[in-house]
Amino acid sequence: MEKKQTEKNWYGFQLLDVVHEKILPDYAMTAREGRIIWMGPSAALSPEQREQAEDLTGKTVMPGMFNCHVHALATPTANPVSFNTEDPAKFALRGLNHLQQHLRSGVAFVRDMNGRKQAEVGLRDAIDQGIVIGPHYIISRQCLCMTGGHGSNNGFTTCLQTNLIKNSEFRNKFLTRYAELLNTVFMPE
C-alpha cells in the first residue's frame, strides 16, 4: 500500500528574500512531507488550497540560520570533568534540549564541535529518523588532542591543579611567580 503524500499550505506572510535583500509581502508556500515544494504570491493558491491553508498574516518567514560551532552536549559548568561520569541518557537529553533551543530561535542547521559517549551519534540518528524534533545536526565527534589538552576531559589537569593549589606552600610560590611574570614578561611595552 502506497503512503499518501500530505501537503500543507500557508499564506499571508511576508517573506524575507535574503538573495535579493528585500521583503516580499503577502506570500504563500506549500510543503509536502516536511519539505517546501513551492513559494509564491498568496493569490496563486487555488480556492481549495487556501481553504485548507493556515493564515500567517502579520508573520515573517525567513530561511533557517546556521550555527557551525556548538557544543550541544555540554552545559557551562565549573567542573567539565563531571560529564565523564554523568549518565549517558541525561547527557543525551541535555543535548536534545540545547538543539531544540537552537531550532526555536531560528537555527535550522547545527554543527557540533565535540562529542562524548556516542551520545551525539544517537541524537543525530534520532533526529534524522523523526523520533525527536531538532535542527539538521552534523557531528564532529570527540576531538583528537594531547592528554590534558583542550578536548581531553580526563580530569588530570583540573584535578592536579585543584589539589596543588590546596597546598599553601605551592599556592604562595605559584601566586608569587605569576605576579612576577605579570610585572615583567607580560607588561605592555
Side-chain angles (χ1 to χ4, degrees), residues 37-103:
I37 60 168
W38 175 83
M39 293 188 91
S42 292
L45 287 177
S46 71
E48 296 82 25
Q49 287 174 312
R50 197 174 183 104
E51 188 175 302
Q52 299 296 319
E54 185 175 345
D55 184 357
L56 295 181
T57 300
K59 308 281 186 197
T60 301
V61 172
M62 62 180 263
M65 295 182 284
F66 285 50
N67 188 337
C68 294
H69 189 135
V70 301
H71 300 280
L73 300 172
T75 299
T77 177
N79 185 16
V81 178
S82 67
F83 293 142
N84 295 331
T85 57
E86 186 174 54
D87 176 77
K90 184 177 174 186
F91 200 60
L93 288 170
R94 177 187 303 108
L96 176 61
N97 183 46
H98 290 164
L99 291 173
Q100 289 176 342
Q101 287 173 344
H102 280 292
L103 193 58

Side-chain angles (χ1 to χ4, degrees), residues 2-3 10 21 25 33 36 46 68 72 74 76-78 86 95 106 125 151 156-157 173 178 183 185:
E2 193 175 311
K3 183 179 173 185
W10 296 267
E21 300 179 358
E33 300 300 320
I36 297 170
S46 71
C68 294
T77 177
E86 186 174 54
D125 293 348
F156 177 74
T157 338
K173 285 182 180 181
Y178 187 70
N183 291 318
V185 176

Side-chain angles (χ1 to χ4, degrees), residues 4-180:
K4 184 181 180 217
Q5 293 189 341
T6 58
E7 286 189 2
K8 177 126 174 100
N9 294 294
W10 296 267
Y11 71 93
F13 58 85
Q14 59 182 13
L15 176 67
L16 175 61
D17 180 347
V18 296
V19 174
H20 299 101
E21 300 179 358
K22 57 184 170 181
I23 293 179
L24 306 172
D26 198 19
Y27 248 62
M29 73 177 154
T30 301
R32 181 183 298 135
E33 300 300 320
R35 295 201 179 266
I36 297 170
I37 60 168
W38 175 83
M39 293 188 91
S42 292
L45 287 177
S46 71
E48 296 82 25
Q49 287 174 312
R50 197 174 183 104
E51 188 175 302
Q52 299 296 319
E54 185 175 345
D55 184 357
L56 295 181
T57 300
K59 308 281 186 197
T60 301
V61 172
M62 62 180 263
M65 295 182 284
F66 285 50
N67 188 337
C68 294
H69 189 135
V70 301
H71 300 280
L73 300 172
T75 299
T77 177
N79 185 16
V81 178
S82 67
F83 293 142
N84 295 331
T85 57
E86 186 174 54
D87 176 77
K90 184 177 174 186
F91 200 60
L93 288 170
R94 177 187 303 108
L96 176 61
N97 183 46
H98 290 164
L99 291 173
Q100 289 176 342
Q101 287 173 344
H102 280 292
L103 193 58
R104 284 190 300 271
S105 67
V107 177
F109 176 97
V110 171
R111 183 178 68 151
D112 197 331
M113 299 305 293
N114 193 19
R116 291 190 191 100
K117 304 179 188 178
Q118 299 274 333
E120 72 283 3
V121 175
L123 192 50
R124 176 204 57 204
D125 293 348
I127 291 169
D128 289 349
Q129 295 166 13
I131 297 168
V132 296
I133 295 172
H136 185 70
Y137 183 47
I138 302 295
I139 58 174
S140 298
R141 305 289 313 271
Q142 181 73 35
C143 64
L144 296 174
C145 71
M146 76 273 195
T147 302
H150 176 68
S152 176
N153 290 319
N154 64 7
F156 177 74
T157 338
T158 309
C159 179
L160 179 64
Q161 186 175 1
T162 301
N163 287 322
L164 283 173
I165 210 77
K166 290 178 184 174
N167 178 297
S168 61
E169 183 180 347
F170 172 82
R171 183 177 57 245
N172 291 337
K173 285 182 180 181
F174 176 83
L175 292 173
T176 301
R177 178 69 180 136
Y178 187 70
E180 287 172 358

